[in-house]
Amino acid sequence: MLSKHQIVNWLLDCEHIFTEQRDYLTALDTDIGDGDHGLNMQRGFAKVAEKLPAVADKDIGQVLKTTGMTLLSSVGGASGPLYGTFFIRAAASADACQSLTLAQLAKMLSDGVEGIVSRGRAEPGDKTMCDAWWPALVALQQAQQQDLPLAEALDKAVAAASAGTEATIQMQARKGRASYLGERSIGHQDAGATSTLLLLSALRDRARL
């Protein structure tokens, strides 16, 4: 089980992680994008960390909804609407929950990713954050079928997201600013997939505690 306390601390961890990785994400995004992804993620989760104490006693759904609304209102570029929608859609699955089983977590993340797809219309191989999310979801579903412990399931999800993120290097971008570069977008790792990997890695680490 993943407790509400772990979910809250995961989101607080994200502030530190995106602060530490801000320049790395910015460098990736500068190569083929607007160059603002690192700053946007750091700014967004700093705002989330400010808002969370006010809802820390609420259910997981409310915590996630607050996170999503905060990201929508405080983050520019594409990442704010995409990650904001992810957390708002995920919140609906976790409504009234104080903890999550692996099945509930997998459903929550899947619903969140459906929100991203509905906004960005991404398809496999488009060189987007979804190229990290989709293999992670498949890994979680397989872990669920194998009745693996939640922490082990997240290990597999992170490994799959890592492979998916690395695979974006050889993809030609078909969405966003990077798509304007055509074949010149090949050879660069997608910043959104990288921030997704960081997000999932933080969740995996918190689940182990």
Side-chain angles (χ1 to χ4, degrees):
M1 298 283 281
L2 197 64
S3 70
K4 179 184 70 176
H5 182 69
Q6 286 172 304
I7 292 288
V8 170
N9 281 318
W10 162 47
L11 296 168
L12 292 173
D13 291 343
C14 285
E15 179 195 6
H16 302 296
I17 288 165
F18 287 120
T19 296
E20 291 172 356
Q21 300 297 327
R22 182 187 65 188
D23 292 346
Y24 172 55
L25 290 172
T26 292
L28 290 177
D29 196 35
T30 298
D31 287 338
I32 56 174
D34 293 323
D36 59 358
H37 190 60
L39 180 60
N40 283 339
M41 295 301 291
Q42 184 270 323
R43 180 192 296 126
F45 277 93
K47 291 291 186 182
V48 168
E50 290 176 12
K51 298 281 188 181
L52 284 180
V55 295
D57 61 336
K58 308 295 184 185
D59 61 73
I60 293 173
Q62 189 60 49
V63 168
L64 295 175
K65 183 178 180 182
T66 298
T67 298
M69 295 298 290
T70 302
L71 292 174
L72 272 178
S73 64
S74 63
V75 180
S79 52
L82 293 174
Y83 275 117
T85 301
F86 168 81
F87 281 106
I88 290 169
R89 289 286 189 92
S93 299
D95 186 43
C97 292
Q98 296 293 325
S99 60
L100 299 171
T101 63
L102 173 56
Q104 288 173 317
L105 176 64
K107 175 72 163 58
M108 183 192 90
L109 295 177
S110 178
D111 287 351
V113 173
E114 284 182 12
I116 293 174
V117 174
S118 71
R119 261 197 179 268
R121 307 294 179 191
E123 296 180 3
D126 278 352
K127 198 182 183 93
T128 71
M129 63 174 67
C130 291
D131 289 304
W133 277 118
W134 282 320
L137 293 178
V138 170
L140 281 180
Q141 291 162 359
Q142 292 173 343
Q144 188 181 335
Q145 292 165 0
Q146 296 165 13
D147 201 25
L148 296 180
L150 191 143
E152 188 175 342
L154 281 169
D155 277 339
K156 292 186 177 296
V158 169
S162 179
T165 299
E166 187 173 347
T168 65
I169 296 172
Q170 298 306 320
M171 294 175 185
Q172 179 174 327
R174 295 198 291 261
K175 295 291 179 184
R177 185 181 180 89
S179 65
Y180 303 152
L181 299 177
E183 291 185 357
R184 286 183 294 150
S185 64
I186 298 172
H188 301 279
Q189 184 166 300
D190 182 66
T194 306
S195 61
T196 289
L197 175 59
L198 292 170
L199 199 74
L200 279 170
S201 297
L203 180 59
R204 183 268 317 275
D205 293 346
R206 184 50 63 174
R208 288 173 170 169
L209 301 178

